[in-house]
Amino acid sequence: MENGKHIQALDGLRGFACLMVIFSHAGNRGVFFKITLAGQLGVMLFFALSGFLMAYLYGNQAFSFKVWLGYAIKRFFRVYPAYLFTITLAFLVVSVTSQSFYGMDAPAYLKHVLLLGTNNVLWTVPVEMRFYLWFPILAILLFFFRNQEKLRLGVLGGLWIVLLVVNIPGPQYSVWPYIEFFVTGVFVGYLYLYMETHQPAARSWRGWGWVAAVCLAGVIYAIPDLGHFYEVEAEMWAASWALAPLMGLTVLAVANAQGIIGWVMGSSPARFLGKISFSLYLLHNRIVGEANSLPAFFPAAVKLLIVVAVSILAALAVYTLVENPSRRWGKRLAKRVTEGRPHKDLQPGTSAS
């Protein structure tokens, strides 16, 4: 299920998280059965995935200006161009047609350009990019424990526990209110690296598939309308002491899973959804908003299929024309910056996608 440093099953998990968000918003508009706040759980899973992937791809990097400059370039071009395209499209639609598109008037547009906006689904992008700024500091500090990996895990685990207990306030576009989800992902990412190097038998344990199945069921059951654990969004995020470990274990288990879970998450359709998931996340809610304009005699299931199909087509177009070209351009630019003097700690195949 793994190709070099690319864990294919995590592409499928990213697609699963994106579907949770889409179905949640469709449910809010009566196109799907009510699963209020399921999208928030999808976002939590996205945050944990980001932490895991940054730790897995860059966790063993020393301080090197060129290496981390290349990291910053790739992260910027992986996220910001598609985000900028979306907010610019929304602003043009609002300006020209006066139709609603994420409430993107001129003041909101400026805020979002500066990564200070919180409109609709777009609030997560400033949070994600702030995490990208914060992660190298942690990774460089942890690099000093590279020859004492158990101690490194202990230090990181201690930080993780503190963040699960202590609630750090901040505005919605700040990373701090959600830091425990990112650090959970970072922790299991370093744990995965440790198992990869020192405990390969632990990674090949057949039970990971069952753990992944239980965790995925737990994520679904954590939807308020199913599990009734909380009633409002604030209560959900206040339960991060339980939900963050769940998301982290889900990521770790799926990354190691074999059998049915590994096959499903690593299948071509699941990986396709994961590949376009960022563009799909950015665009889907505007398309979902048009569901009620479909003919009233259409069954809800037909409306849902139309919404999902149109969302996927729109996301594929943006991925093909904007997101993927900018990502490749960022990789080329980063390579130009870092080539010529490869850092001894930069292992083959560790570039982030």
Side-chain angles (χ1 to χ4, degrees):
M1 298 305 297
E2 185 180 322
N3 180 17
K5 297 289 282 187
H6 186 81
I7 305 172
Q8 294 181 351
L10 294 186
D11 289 340
L13 185 60
R14 187 181 293 109
F16 169 81
C18 194
L19 286 178
M20 287 190 70
V21 177
I22 295 174
F23 290 163
S24 177
H25 291 152
N28 292 343
R29 292 176 169 84
V31 184
F32 192 58
F33 66 84
K34 187 180 179 183
I35 49 172
T36 306
L37 299 181
Q40 299 295 321
L41 293 165
V43 168
M44 293 174 183
L45 195 50
F46 276 132
F47 287 167
L49 272 165
S50 291
F52 177 94
L53 291 171
M54 292 305 96
Y56 180 55
L57 294 168
Y58 292 96
N60 287 325
Q61 301 304 326
F63 177 77
S64 167
F65 178 77
K66 285 188 175 182
V67 167
W68 289 107
L69 178 59
Y71 158 88
I73 292 171
K74 283 184 283 188
R75 290 296 91 199
F76 177 85
F77 282 97
R78 176 67 180 85
V79 174
Y80 195 79
Y83 168 75
L84 181 62
F85 172 84
T86 302
I87 62 174
T88 302
L89 176 64
F91 174 67
L92 291 174
V93 169
V94 171
S95 301
V96 175
T97 69
S98 298
Q99 294 184 11
S100 175
F101 195 146
Y102 297 168
M104 198 58 63
D105 56 14
Y109 179 72
L110 180 59
K111 285 184 178 180
H112 281 278
V113 167
L114 299 176
L115 298 175
L116 299 174
T118 58
N119 290 26
N120 211 280
V121 299
L122 302 172
W123 69 271
T124 63
V125 178
V127 174
E128 185 91 5
M129 295 198 73
R130 282 171 174 78
F131 166 68
Y132 293 152
L133 291 174
W134 177 89
F135 172 74
I137 299 172
L138 178 61
I140 291 167
L141 291 174
L142 291 173
F143 183 78
F144 290 105
F145 299 98
R146 65 191 181 278
N147 295 323
Q148 299 173 295
E149 293 186 57
K150 289 184 179 179
L151 179 59
R152 180 169 70 175
L153 284 173
V155 170
L156 185 55
L159 174 63
W160 174 58
I161 292 172
V162 169
L163 291 174
L164 287 178
V165 175
V166 178
N167 181 28
I168 303 176
Q172 188 178 4
Y173 54 76
S174 167
V175 72
W176 300 115
Y178 324 101
I179 191 64
E180 58 267 39
F181 290 93
F182 289 108
V183 173
T184 295
V186 170
F187 177 68
V188 295
Y190 275 98
L191 181 59
Y192 187 90
L193 283 174
Y194 177 79
M195 289 192 298
E196 188 177 54
T197 305
H198 301 289
Q199 298 290 336
R203 279 195 52 213
S204 59
W205 177 50
R206 291 182 179 273
W208 281 118
W210 290 102
V211 175
V214 171
C215 288
L216 290 168
V219 171
I220 294 172
Y221 191 65
I223 296 171
D225 293 306
L226 299 179
H228 303 288
F229 294 115
Y230 22 67
E231 296 182 359
V232 297
E233 182 176 337
E235 292 177 1
M236 172 181 283
W237 287 97
S240 60
W241 59 271
L243 291 176
L246 173 62
M247 299 304 169
L249 185 57
T250 301
V251 173
L252 181 63
V254 170
N256 287 316
Q258 302 176 35
I260 294 177
I261 296 295
W263 178 79
V264 170
M265 290 297 182
S267 64
S268 296
R271 286 188 288 114
F272 169 75
L273 282 178
K275 182 174 69 173
I276 67 169
S277 61
F278 182 54
S279 293
L280 185 56
Y281 175 83
L282 291 174
L283 296 169
H284 79 276
N285 210 21
R286 178 65 183 86
I287 297 168
V288 170
E290 294 297 319
N292 290 327
S293 65
L294 293 170
F297 59 83
F298 277 11
V302 173
K303 290 183 179 181
L304 179 64
L305 286 174
I306 293 173
V307 164
V308 172
V310 173
S311 297
I312 289 174
L313 289 174
L316 181 60
V318 173
Y319 174 83
T320 303
L321 298 175
V322 180
E323 183 184 347
N324 195 41
S326 63
R327 177 178 61 85
R328 291 183 176 181
W329 198 86
K331 281 187 174 182
R332 288 196 296 269
L333 180 60
K335 184 178 180 181
R336 184 177 301 175
V337 169
T338 58
E339 70 182 2
R341 189 183 296 176
H343 194 275
K344 64 180 181 180
D345 294 304
L346 186 59
Q347 302 172 356
T350 57
S351 61
S353 59

